[in-house]
Amino acid sequence: MALKKAVALLDTGKLLSVSKRQAQYLALQNQINPHFFFNSLNGISSLIRKKNDENTLLYVTKLSDIFRYILQSDKKNLVPLSEELAFIEAFQHVMVVRFANKLTFTIEVPEDKRNLRIPVLSLLPLVENVTVHNIIDSEHRMDILIRLNERMELVVSNPIYPKLTLPDTNGTGLKNLENRFLLLMNKQIRVESDEDEFQVYLPLK
């Protein structure tokens, strides 16, 4: 009887631990959405003021694809890299409209490696950070490079064009990303930066 009680308590402890980890992950994941939602509404407002119906329709169509992926993400933990890259391709259409072709993406990931897995919505906070912290205009064209290195890490890099006024941010997005990788993969991301380039290394599974 004592042994059965001990096993039951152990099982209960494991369930509570898993539930706690899931709750922590969902809390971290949900912090992404309001920030992106706010920026997206600003983009729509800007297009409406310009009275460009075609661009507005494209923006809204791609935005619906993006939000569908975000809304379905609460049912997912790790996803194939192919899903995250497809999300980024939809995101690119929105960014092209928002920044008038001054922000582009270069993706260098072989097709046979796109089945590697990554925490869902890993790329969104990194791309958003680029737009928050950098000047993006005709003189500062931004190309975000997403590639796979020899260590099978996904590397997201961009040139640095710092804004003259520091953005109103406390680095929550990057910190949340670090915590999600620890919770889901028990692995750490790496961040490298110098005067010219910012790079984030994401481990894959």
Side-chain angles (χ1 to χ4, degrees), residues 46-64:
S46 175
L47 284 172
I48 291 173
R49 285 196 296 270
K50 292 176 181 177
K51 299 181 179 180
N52 188 321
D53 293 341
E54 185 177 344
N55 280 350
T56 302
L57 181 60
L58 175 62
Y59 189 98
V60 172
T61 300
K62 293 300 179 181
L63 199 57
S64 69

Side-chain angles (χ1 to χ4, degrees), residues 74-91:
D74 64 344
K75 303 178 182 69
K76 304 175 181 179
N77 290 327
L78 298 178
V79 296
L81 189 51
S82 57
E83 288 190 20
E84 280 287 293
L85 295 178
F87 168 77
I88 284 299
E89 286 168 359
F91 192 87

Side-chain angles (χ1 to χ4, degrees), residues 16 31 44 49 60 64 69 74 84 95-96 102 112 128 144 155 160 170 173 194 200:
L16 287 173
Q31 288 185 42
I44 294 174
R49 285 196 296 270
V60 172
S64 69
Y69 184 76
D74 64 344
E84 280 287 293
M95 293 295 100
V96 164
K102 297 176 182 66
D112 63 344
E128 279 288 283
I144 300 174
V155 185
I160 296 175
N170 56 10
D194 56 30
V200 180

Side-chain angles (χ1 to χ4, degrees), residues 31-45:
Q31 288 185 42
I32 296 172
N33 301 350
H35 182 239
F36 176 68
F37 183 68
F38 177 78
N39 285 339
S40 301
L41 290 180
N42 280 343
I44 294 174
S45 299

